[in-house]
Amino acid sequence: MERVQAVRGMNDILPDAVHWWQKVETTAREVLELYGYREIRTPLVEKLELFARSIGESTDIVEKEMYAFPDRKGQWLALRPEATASVVRAFIEHNLHADPLARKFYTIGPMFRHERPQKGRYRQFHQIDAEVFGIDDPLMDAEVMIMLCDFLQRLGLKDIGLHVNSLGCPECRPRFREKLKAFLQNRSPQLCPDCDRRRHVNPLRVFDCKVDRCREALTDAPELAQYLCEACRRHFDKVLEYLSDLHVAYAVDSRMVRGLDYYMRTTFEVITDRLGAQNAVGGGGRYDGLMRDLGGPDLPGIGFAIGMERLILLLQQKEAWVSKKPQVFIAVLGDEAVRQAFRLAQDLRAHGVAAELAHGGGSLKSQMRRADKLGVAHVVIVGEEELARGVVVVRHMVSKEQDQVPLENTVQFLMTVSTVESL
Ligand code: AMP
């Protein structure tokens, strides 16, 4: 029979890898809740219009990468390519602005983009996403970045750089756009066909292009920093000041524009040189006009998303996972012993000792081989002969020493030895 395989770029997460995901998620929740974020969960499917209106019609995500399809009634839907638009939509739809406590949100889950799969880039990938509404203080921009760095540090990921930029606002960005357009017109023959088209509709996107000759063409391009209005300049200076106050290392990167149109003022990325081409671990920025543009109150917003697959690739490079193993294996000899052994296994588990019970009989030798494979510290041998005397044998797998322990003391005995050994 022909086998049905998973969709290209969409991965299973197998039991051997799942603890990485749990570790990342648990740490994320701890940190986010420490900073006052509350979880929100939105559907994976939204109306296509939501993403087209927020991310921008002429972005790569909307133009080329979205999983968009009409449903049975002909309504256009899309699998979410990112979470911000959905969280903003939910905030508006449920009038959450009426609740003064509802300011900081996070969500964790899969996103979908039809990109060419490679290491660190998939068609279904997972993000940890944080959003703050209603606060335009530059202090919040700094806090959001500091929280992101705090999270990475708690995971033990140190050599990750924080890159920061300001994209200006609707006051000052148009001036820069015109300057850039004029510059790109002169460079037109050097640009790739995509960029040559983009320079008319959305010239800032050209900074995102990975094609070498486009990058070269941009070496002496005008810099956004020189076109910021007074208010944006002041905002950005404050953000940097707050970062420095808390000794957070950053680099200002005036070429970083991010792939989504809704950003304004502060934008940032965390970058690693350990993942080849897919060097961005996470990124985000301020999007003050977005809520109003989606029909909600005119509240400012700022947020970021971290790619979980990339985080996990980095963690796996750093350390081998010591997976939780059973601590005790219970070998059984004889049918009668099975019932006692089953009871003992439950008793151990009730006391927090991870116990694995031999199934299906077999010789003591084959049971010991299995215990060896499992890597347990102790094996309890429950045999009918010993049971008749009210004892079991506890074998220490490293020293090979054996003790006869009264059945009713076995749990206590194992709890004591395993605590002493883990010290
Ligand atoms: P973005 O939503 O484009 O700002 O991306 C935020 C983060 O999500 C990136 O820094 C990546 O870590 C991750 N990411 C984005 N696209 C993909 C993808 N196709 N596969 C895996 N991770 C991704």
Side-chain angles (χ1 to χ4, degrees):
M1 277 284 231
E2 204 179 318
R3 284 194 268 169
V4 181
Q5 292 195 316
V7 178
R8 187 163 127 82
M10 305 205 181
N11 301 313
D12 298 307
I13 300 165
L14 300 177
D16 266 354
V18 90
H19 37 249
W20 294 105
W21 292 80
Q22 290 166 346
K23 176 176 171 161
V24 167
E25 272 183 32
T26 311
T27 313
R29 284 178 203 283
E30 269 168 28
V31 175
L32 285 155
E33 285 175 21
L34 205 58
Y35 284 81
Y37 289 71
R38 293 168 72 208
E39 186 172 3
I40 182 167
R41 300 186 190 193
T42 62
L44 304 194
V45 179
E46 298 272 359
K47 291 181 184 157
L48 173 63
E49 180 195 353
L50 175 68
F51 302 116
R53 274 173 55 187
S54 55
I55 299 169
E57 298 271 9
S58 55
T59 56
D60 276 0
I61 296 180
V62 171
E63 261 185 357
K64 301 182 191 162
E65 297 167 1
M66 213 141 52
Y67 281 90
F69 53 93
D71 72 3
R72 287 173 191 277
K73 293 243 164 85
Q75 172 170 239
W76 277 87
L77 304 176
L79 300 186
R80 63 178 186 190
E82 58 107 43
T84 305
S86 305
V87 177
V88 172
R89 181 209 41 76
F91 183 89
I92 299 170
E93 195 162 330
H94 302 283
N95 284 318
L96 294 184
H97 63 275
D99 174 1
L101 292 178
R103 289 291 174 263
K104 292 173 162 181
F105 300 89
Y106 76 90
T107 194
I108 300 177
M111 310 293 154
F112 304 85
R113 293 182 197 171
H114 197 278
E115 296 188 84
R116 200 167 48 76
Q118 63 180 80
K119 184 178 166 196
R121 191 166 70 194
Y122 312 98
R123 290 181 174 169
Q124 175 180 302
F125 59 98
H126 297 74
Q127 287 184 338
I128 298 163
D129 177 87
E131 312 290 348
V132 184
F133 303 135
I135 302 171
D136 59 8
D137 189 335
L139 190 118
M140 187 47 66
D141 307 37
E143 191 192 89
V144 160
M145 286 185 261
I146 287 167
M147 178 175 73
L148 178 52
C149 296
D150 189 354
F151 167 62
L152 295 171
Q153 240 157 37
R154 280 172 202 242
L155 284 175
L157 300 173
K158 294 199 183 81
D159 39 0
I160 290 185
L162 172 65
H163 290 208
V164 201
N165 192 19
S166 174
L167 289 185
C169 67
E171 283 287 305
C172 54
R173 195 155 50 189
R175 271 191 298 142
F176 173 70
R177 242 177 85 113
E178 287 318 307
K179 266 275 173 237
L180 183 64
K181 255 185 166 170
F183 171 85
L184 291 172
Q185 186 161 8
N186 291 330
R187 296 288 188 281
S188 165
Q190 269 172 273
L191 299 175
C192 74
D194 258 355
C195 283
D196 204 31
R197 186 178 51 82
R198 282 188 195 120
R199 74 184 171 87
H200 300 288
V201 282
N202 200 345
L204 261 74
R205 290 270 75 79
V206 174
F207 284 114
D208 254 355
C209 186
K210 301 277 188 292
V211 176
D212 283 343
R213 61 179 216 262
C214 294
R215 296 201 151 203
E216 277 159 31
L218 288 171
T219 39
D220 52 351
E223 301 224 327
L224 227 164
Q226 278 141 25
Y227 293 83
L228 294 183
C229 62
E230 190 46 35
C232 285
R233 177 84 264 159
R234 240 181 303 131
H235 186 97
F236 194 44
D237 286 346
K238 271 278 172 211
V239 174
L240 301 183
E241 208 176 288
Y242 286 129
L243 289 177
S244 302
D245 275 354
L246 292 195
H247 308 292
V248 174
Y250 61 82
V252 174
D253 176 356
S254 57
R255 295 285 161 87
M256 186 182 66
V257 290
R258 314 273 302 120
L260 304 93
D261 278 352
Y262 53 60
Y263 286 125
M264 61 169 290
R265 289 198 170 161
T266 315
T267 49
F268 52 94
E269 266 182 4
V270 278
I271 305 226
T272 173
D273 53 12
R274 291 171 182 269
L275 288 180
Q278 306 310 316
N279 63 352
V281 179
R286 186 162 271 294
Y287 47 82
D288 289 354
L290 179 62
M291 193 166 305
R292 181 201 55 220
D293 292 349
L294 288 176
D298 192 4
L299 290 179
I302 180 165
F304 67 76
I306 310 169
M308 294 179 76
E309 280 79 0
R310 293 184 195 175
L311 264 188
I312 288 166
L313 283 170
L314 287 176
L315 285 174
Q316 286 171 336
Q317 284 179 7
K318 200 173 70 68
E319 59 193 75
W321 181 268
V322 188
S323 64
K324 270 224 175 79
K325 287 184 280 199
Q327 295 157 274
V328 173
F329 183 81
I330 305 174
V332 193
L333 291 172
D335 290 343
E336 263 316 293
V338 171
R339 294 169 62 198
Q340 284 293 355
F342 192 15
R343 219 172 298 153
L344 177 62
Q346 277 311 101
D347 213 5
L348 282 166
R349 290 166 185 154
H351 286 85
V353 180
E356 179 86 4
L357 181 61
H359 292 283
S363 67
L364 182 61
K365 205 166 155 198
S366 71
Q367 294 189 45
M368 293 309 274
R369 260 204 306 273
R370 184 157 145 67
D372 230 14
K373 276 211 187 108
L374 288 169
V376 292
H378 297 94
V379 175
V380 182
I381 304 166
V382 185
E384 271 161 17
E385 211 176 283
E386 287 83 4
L387 277 181
R389 286 187 282 119
V391 297
V392 294
V393 174
V394 176
R395 181 178 167 89
H396 189 286
M397 294 300 277
V398 179
S399 69
K400 309 274 189 260
E401 277 170 23
Q402 300 202 151
D403 291 290
Q404 298 230 352
V405 181
L407 182 60
E408 67 268 22
N409 296 346
T410 319
V411 174
Q412 200 53 47
F413 180 84
L414 284 165
M415 282 172 69
T416 317
V417 285
S418 50
T419 321
V420 170
E421 273 166 19
S422 63
L423 287 178

